[in-house]
Amino acid sequence: MSLLSQAQFRASAALPADLLPEGPPEIAFAGRSNVGKSSAINALAGRRRLARTSKTPGRTQTINFYDLGSEARLVDLPGYGYARVSRSLRAQWGELVGAYLRSRAVLAGVVVLMDARHPMTPLDVQLLDWLAGARKLVLLSKADKLTKAEQKATLQRVSSLVEGDVCLFSSVTRQGVEECRDLLEQWLAQAAEIKGPR
Ligand code: GTP
Ligand code: MG
């Protein structure tokens, strides 16, 4: 059984003070609201309703932790850039996600999702800048909405603009799921090596 398929919900944090104490290596999923972060976690774990998804942007408002046994954790971050939530809620988002991304020593890497139909929006670029030092994998989500030719052109363009791996991804057709899973398992294996045997 693959590590990712062991995912089990562990805890939610609405405030920085609620973040789980640091434990095993973590992989966080970040990106604009509605881009498909929670769906990607479900696709990678091979489960339909592990992480809650919704047509309405702003579904995930807490940081949700999923245990992969005792080896690792997946972390579903609330989406950014959803204009319709109140200013105070947006400020709270920034504080919560900022506190997480800035302080987490166990962060093995960040999966950044961008909508394949319009990648590299100003907000995406801001997030990438913010994550400059972190290990990243960019997923071009909802790739099923593009033709093969559009997919190829988008992959080339985004790959030339960002450092790190870029994959076409679809939670619907499962395009890119295996490739992404392999990469994330490599990250976790390397993080475990650095940490040494327990
Ligand atoms: P927030 O929690 O609001 O930040 O959103 P999210 O990034 O977690 O997005 P979520 O996974 O909830 O998906 C948002 C919507 O996009 C849902 O209606 C999903 O069914 C749809 N969706 C997600 N992934 C894909 C995909 O690969 N292809 C298509 N066509 N739709 C997708
Ligand atoms: Mg979500």
Side-chain angles (χ1 to χ4, degrees), residues 8-197:
Q8 268 195 336
F9 176 75
R10 171 68 186 275
S12 287
L15 298 168
D18 302 333
L19 293 172
L20 275 186
E22 296 195 15
E26 291 175 355
I27 295 176
F29 289 70
R32 283 165 49 229
S33 212
N34 207 240
V35 73
K37 299 174 293 299
S38 300
S39 302
I41 288 180
N42 289 337
L44 290 163
R47 304 262 288 283
R48 287 167 73 90
R49 275 187 291 272
L50 179 67
R52 289 186 66 188
T53 65
S54 168
K55 283 193 174 59
T56 318
R59 167 75 259 169
T60 311
Q61 297 195 349
T62 51
I63 292 184
N64 297 324
F65 294 87
Y66 296 89
D67 280 340
L68 306 179
S70 58
E71 308 282 301
R73 286 178 185 147
L74 299 183
V75 182
D76 191 9
L77 299 176
Y80 54 85
Y82 178 46
R84 271 202 254 160
V85 299
S86 68
R87 188 173 296 176
S88 66
L89 198 64
R90 259 182 287 160
Q92 204 176 318
W93 178 91
E95 237 171 79
L96 179 65
V97 176
Y100 176 84
L101 289 174
R102 269 196 310 272
S103 71
R104 212 69 177 165
V106 292
L107 193 59
V110 182
V111 179
V112 175
L113 285 93
M114 295 187 202
D115 192 316
R117 292 166 295 180
H118 32 84
M120 302 299 278
T121 67
L123 281 168
D124 294 329
V125 173
Q126 209 179 333
L127 177 69
L128 289 173
D129 284 349
W130 213 32
L131 294 172
R135 185 173 217 178
K136 290 181 287 292
L137 165 63
V138 173
L139 296 184
L140 298 168
S141 71
K142 309 192 186 185
D144 53 283
K145 304 269 193 186
L146 298 184
T147 64
K148 286 285 169 212
E150 289 168 335
Q151 289 185 7
K152 193 173 164 211
T154 304
L155 179 64
Q156 268 178 6
R157 182 165 76 85
V158 177
S159 300
S160 72
L161 294 172
V162 306
E163 53 177 57
D165 291 295
V166 183
C167 291
L168 291 158
F169 193 89
S170 168
S171 304
V172 172
T173 62
R174 300 187 60 80
Q175 178 179 2
V177 168
E178 284 311 315
E179 193 181 350
C180 176
R181 198 186 265 167
D182 287 350
L183 263 169
L184 300 189
E185 289 183 350
Q186 273 177 38
W187 287 6
L188 292 173
Q190 284 166 13
E193 255 171 51
I194 293 165
K195 213 172 153 198

